[in-house]
Structures are given as structure tokens and as C-alpha cells.
Amino acid sequence: GADLVCVAGGDGTVNEAAEGIAGTGVPLLVLPAGTANVLSCEIGAGNDPFGVASRFEQLEPVEFAPGLLRSAEGERLFLCMAGAGLDARIVRLVSPAWKRRLGKLSYWQGGLAQLGRRLELLEVEADGRRYECSFALLARVRNYGGDLWIARHANLLEDRLAVVLFEGRSSLRYVKYFAGVLLNRLDGMGGVRVLTAERVRIRELNDPVIDLQVDGEHAGFAPAEVALSRRRICLLAPPRF
């Protein structure tokens, strides 16, 4: 019976509210108060919850289809992104205490700790096309972590998944990939595939443990299937988003 649901927190908190909001038509207002605030940054609302609240009357409702990840753990909606492989492993290993203490720096620390180790490989099947990689990003948004733009071809208002796959077992290759992100040169870079898809399947290869994450929270392990949910979300966003 609510006319509006207002969520103050980060992307993980908004994700928890999404299950109850999706498909109801009830507008969602996000007051960014988390670690990265990816969704709020994506729609141009920024990181200031008081600023968003002060502009409430200017916000307009927009509808979009969230992503849906299915695995042995069940079904999880995601409003920003799902990940498999390296980034999801980092999410699992970052302790909540470090996250509260260091914020975004806890993920940078977790990423640097992976340098030098041999990465797990997974198989990704995107609309029938098969690839091997060590990190698969399945995005609804361009923004990643609040600071980086990885899936620049993503569009929250289009009904498609933006897919970016990073190949290779060597974690040192990610130094090159990171430079590609900063310079906007991922598309066409060796070892990187930039795709769109309606349905993606994720499977283990020779490595038994492939981590999954949705909206920055650990979501279990592969195998999994990712698509768009039929239950749409109504989000209050700045004009001309």
C-alpha cells in the first residue's frame, strides 16, 4: 500500500529492497549512503543523500528491467551488475570490518592481494557463443565501483545485458586491463571481449570454485544463469537521465 519506498544506503542495501519492490510499480527513491553508490552515480544523482532529498520534487519516475541471477543459492536480482570470477572472489574475501573501516580502499587492497596468483578460469556462454575468461562482468550500468567505467556500452533503460569478459590465468594481465579501463581502450584490446546478450550461462571448467557477486555482495558459486527479470523497477531519477 506504499506510495513510495525510500532506501538510504549503498547498492547492497538497495539490492535487498529490490526483491520487494520489483513488479509492484511503487517508485523507489535511493538516498546514497554506502561505499560506492553505483546506481545513484549512474543516474546522475550523485553521492549526497541530502542533496538528493532536497531535489525530490524534480525527480521523475523511470522504469527498467533489473538483472536476474539464478544459481544453486536461488534467484537474486541485481540493479547494477553481476560478476563471476576474480571480482566476486575479491568481494568474498573483503571482510565486513575492513569494508566499514576503509570503504572503497578495502576493495583496492583486496584486488592488489590477488596480484601474482594464478586465477580460476570459467566458461561463459552468451546467447549461444562460448568464451573462456577469469572475470565476467554482466552489467546494467556503465559505472563500476563508483570510480571506473568498464561497461561503457551499458544502458539501464535498454533491455539487454552489457557483457565484458577478461581472459587469462595471470593476474598480472589485469594491470594492462586496468590501464585500458582508464584510457577507454577496452573495446578491441587483446584478451578483452565487449558484448551484449540477453542470456548468459556461467560454468566451471577445471577449477571447482567460481565465485559470484551481485551489486557488490557475494552471491554464491557457479554454475549460474543470468538474464533480465520480467519484473520491472520504477526508479526516481533526475530529469533527462
Side-chain angles (χ1 to χ4, degrees), residues 87-218:
D87 84 322
R89 175 185 169 86
I90 294 170
V91 166
R92 173 167 63 87
L93 294 180
V94 170
S95 72
W98 276 105
K99 185 176 177 181
R100 287 192 297 270
R101 184 175 179 180
L102 299 177
K104 293 179 186 179
L105 289 177
S106 63
Y107 291 105
W108 286 103
Q109 180 196 45
L112 290 173
Q114 300 301 307
L115 286 178
R117 69 178 294 270
R118 187 173 170 84
L119 303 179
E120 296 78 14
L121 293 182
L122 57 136
E123 181 184 82
V124 171
E125 182 182 328
D127 291 347
R129 300 161 291 174
R130 294 187 179 184
Y131 308 92
E132 289 185 9
C133 64
S134 50
F135 169 29
L137 178 66
L138 317 166
R140 297 296 288 122
V141 298
R142 299 162 296 171
N143 192 316
Y144 182 89
D147 301 307
L148 304 175
W149 286 39
I150 296 182
R152 290 176 178 263
H153 60 307
N155 188 324
L156 194 62
L157 303 183
E158 294 181 359
D159 289 346
R160 59 187 175 90
L161 292 168
V163 181
V164 185
L165 308 178
F166 298 87
E167 301 174 355
R169 278 192 179 275
S170 173
S171 55
L172 296 177
R173 294 184 69 171
Y174 281 81
V175 175
K176 180 187 78 170
Y177 296 155
F178 181 67
V181 171
L182 295 180
L183 297 174
N184 188 22
R185 293 183 178 176
L186 278 185
D187 197 357
M189 175 178 283
V192 180
R193 295 185 183 272
V194 178
L195 316 166
T196 59
E198 294 184 1
R199 188 173 302 275
V200 176
R201 291 183 173 88
I202 300 165
R203 304 184 183 92
E204 315 94 327
L205 288 172
N206 297 322
D207 301 296
V209 177
I210 300 297
D211 292 281
L212 305 169
Q213 64 93 0
V214 294
D215 289 344
E217 303 290 335
H218 196 257

Side-chain angles (χ1 to χ4, degrees), residues 39-57:
L39 183 61
S40 186
C41 290
E42 181 73 12
I43 64 176
N47 281 304
D48 180 9
F50 299 102
V52 173
S54 68
R55 299 190 300 272
F56 173 75
E57 293 184 354

